[in-house]
Amino acid sequence: MFIQTQPTPNPASLMFHLGKSVMEAGSADFPNARNAMNSPLARSLFSINGVTRVFFGSDFVTVTKTDEISWDILKPEIFAAIMDFYTSGQPLFLDESTAASNDTAIYEDDSETVAMIKELLETRIRPAVQDDGGDIVYRGFDPESGMVKLQMQGACSGCPSSSVTLKSGIENMLMHYVPEVKGVEQELDGDDEEIVGLE
């Protein structure tokens, strides 16, 4: 296995391209070690001092670190953890039912507006965000206010440029193609809210 690294717009996150499939479909975000209990690989990565978030994409793993530890120290440990995991033969998830995010699946009871939002997220927006080592998850649409709720994951969560991406890129695209959309707001996960509260 030959692992290559790629920087992301978030200086605290680095993509590790494995040259093989990680997730068959969707993505998986682990904002903290508690969320990683279902994945032996994520658990192993969180055991490395300085790792604060882990994200699985189609053929990559994005790791986010604290500012105190440099990538020069972390990279060899992350490489070793990934190699050990793939030689161990363990499954990526202990419980497959919780594995992939299914947020953009279109259901019969979705309105035409919601279906269009999900389609744009899946085909136009998600691929671009995943190229930067993260993902974006649909969390809902309020037809009264016209607001779409989205959650940033992986390298995009906590990235200095994520609010610009959300507002200028994603919001503009959704408003252009779906007239009912009046804006986009970011839904923070519990850990992000704690971080924001400290600033």
Side-chain angles (χ1 to χ4, degrees), residues 3-82:
I3 303 170
Q4 292 181 297
T5 60
Q6 178 186 331
T8 72
N10 183 349
S13 297
L14 195 61
M15 289 173 75
F16 293 81
H17 285 277
L18 308 188
K20 63 181 283 173
S21 175
V22 176
M23 294 282 294
E24 295 295 322
S27 61
D29 188 40
F30 305 95
N32 57 49
R34 192 176 59 248
N35 292 67
M37 288 301 132
N38 186 36
S39 171
L41 176 57
R43 260 200 333 256
S44 175
L45 291 168
F46 271 110
S47 71
I48 299 169
N49 184 32
V51 171
T52 59
R53 187 179 204 117
V54 174
F55 176 82
F56 299 155
S58 57
D59 64 346
F60 66 89
V61 173
T62 300
V63 177
T64 304
K65 68 172 186 70
T66 62
D67 292 336
E68 292 79 42
I69 296 181
S70 82
W71 283 117
D72 293 337
I73 293 168
L74 281 178
K75 273 200 258 187
E77 292 187 57
I78 293 168
F79 284 140
I82 292 171

Side-chain angles (χ1 to χ4, degrees), residues 103-182:
D103 63 298
T104 54
I106 297 171
Y107 301 105
E108 280 183 29
D109 60 347
D110 283 344
S111 68
E112 191 176 320
T113 303
V114 168
M116 286 170 55
I117 292 167
K118 287 180 173 181
E119 176 73 18
L120 276 171
L121 286 170
E122 187 63 35
T123 60
R124 294 281 192 89
I125 297 167
R126 181 167 266 156
V129 174
Q130 287 181 339
D131 282 346
D132 285 337
D135 203 355
I136 190 156
V137 178
Y138 173 78
R139 291 291 187 215
F141 172 68
D142 181 353
E144 299 281 315
S145 66
M147 295 302 284
V148 177
K149 283 190 168 72
L150 301 172
Q151 183 180 16
M152 305 297 268
Q153 294 186 329
C156 299
S157 177
C159 175
S161 61
S162 67
S163 59
V164 175
T165 302
L166 205 59
K167 284 295 177 190
S168 62
I170 297 168
E171 184 175 78
N172 288 347
M173 183 182 282
L174 287 174
M175 287 168 63
H176 176 77
Y177 288 105
V178 188
E180 293 84 355
V181 173
K182 303 293 179 232

